[in-house]
Amino acid sequence: MAGFSRPSSSSLLLAFLLLGTIFSSSEAKEILVGGKSDSWTIPSSQSQSLNKWAESTRFRIGDTLVWKYDGEKDWVVQVSKEDYLSCNSSSPIEEYKDGQTKVKLNKAGPYYFISGAKGHCEKGQKLIVVVLSPRHRYAISPAPSPAEFDGPAVAPTSGAEALRGGGLVVGLGGFLLLWGLF
Ligand SMILES: *[C@@H]1O[C@H](CO)[C@@H](O)[C@H](O)[C@H]1NC(C)=O
């Protein structure tokens, strides 16, 4: 294919942009819980639950979770897994009531949070955040659709894990293209 020996400048630009996106996305950032203010409430339905949100969000070491809520009415309690499951806030790991809570995720693994307001956790106001270890950056993410693995192009190597998501596929394609140039 002629396109491989003489890539157009626009495809090169696209490749750089995509690579830039991949690298910049590894910076630590502040992540607003639920994606917006006042989402620390009893979810109106299962699909509105914070764990649904958390499943589609990637958390890394160094990121900071931010909660915004009315500190008069509600608060955030970090608990053990057991206390998370039983909604028991009587022996918290940490408790936050300032209405503008920030928790830095400084190690890999699961973090469990429940509401401190009476009855709220039982009604689903709870959150599990799983921070990936750097080695497994691509290992846990929203499950890929089977379609992405159709065809022989994707080999089960560690490199292939980076192929998740259309953007990454194009990004890798661009990278190979650049590689071919030098
Ligand atoms: C909550 O946890 C405390 C301390 O671990 C324990 O003493 C208590 O029985 C628990 N309460 C419930 C309802 O499980």
Side-chain angles (χ1 to χ4, degrees):
M1 252 166 43
F4 270 105
S5 51
R6 263 174 199 276
S8 70
S9 58
S10 64
S11 65
L12 280 181
L13 184 66
L14 183 68
F16 276 121
L17 286 177
L18 286 166
L19 285 174
T21 306
I22 293 166
F23 286 123
S24 66
S25 68
S26 63
E27 283 167 18
K29 46 185 188 293
E30 292 202 341
I31 300 174
L32 185 59
V33 168
K36 56 187 192 310
S37 299
D38 300 322
S39 54
W40 189 238
T41 56
I42 296 169
S44 53
S45 69
Q46 188 63 33
S47 64
Q48 295 293 304
S49 81
L50 287 167
N51 282 337
K52 207 81 188 166
W53 165 82
E55 279 166 20
S56 60
T57 306
R58 188 170 285 170
F59 304 96
R60 295 201 174 96
I61 294 174
D63 287 348
T64 300
L65 292 177
V66 182
W67 280 259
K68 292 190 176 161
Y69 54 95
D70 182 348
E72 301 278 299
K73 296 188 184 135
D74 214 322
W75 63 100
V76 179
V77 187
Q78 187 179 350
V79 293
S80 66
K81 183 182 181 182
E82 289 68 33
D83 287 347
Y84 172 90
L85 292 172
S86 59
C87 285
N88 188 343
S89 59
S90 66
S91 51
I93 295 170
E94 205 70 66
E95 215 166 7
Y96 308 91
K97 301 188 168 182
D98 48 7
Q100 174 104 333
T101 294
K102 293 191 178 182
V103 174
K104 177 136 184 181
L105 304 171
N106 46 26
K107 60 174 171 52
Y111 290 70
Y112 301 91
F113 302 97
I114 62 176
S115 166
K118 194 167 165 46
H120 283 204
C121 173
E122 288 82 350
K123 290 179 185 142
Q125 190 181 340
K126 55 197 331 201
L127 170 67
I128 305 177
V129 162
V130 179
V131 179
L132 304 182
S133 66
R135 286 191 54 211
H136 296 109
R137 176 170 294 177
Y138 295 107
I140 307 175
S141 64
S145 70
E148 284 178 69
F149 288 96
D150 280 347
V154 179
T157 65
S158 62
E161 288 179 357
L163 285 170
R164 244 170 239 155
L168 287 180
V169 173
V170 179
L172 192 75
F175 183 69
L176 291 176
L177 204 117
L178 282 178
W179 204 13
L181 276 186
F182 299 113

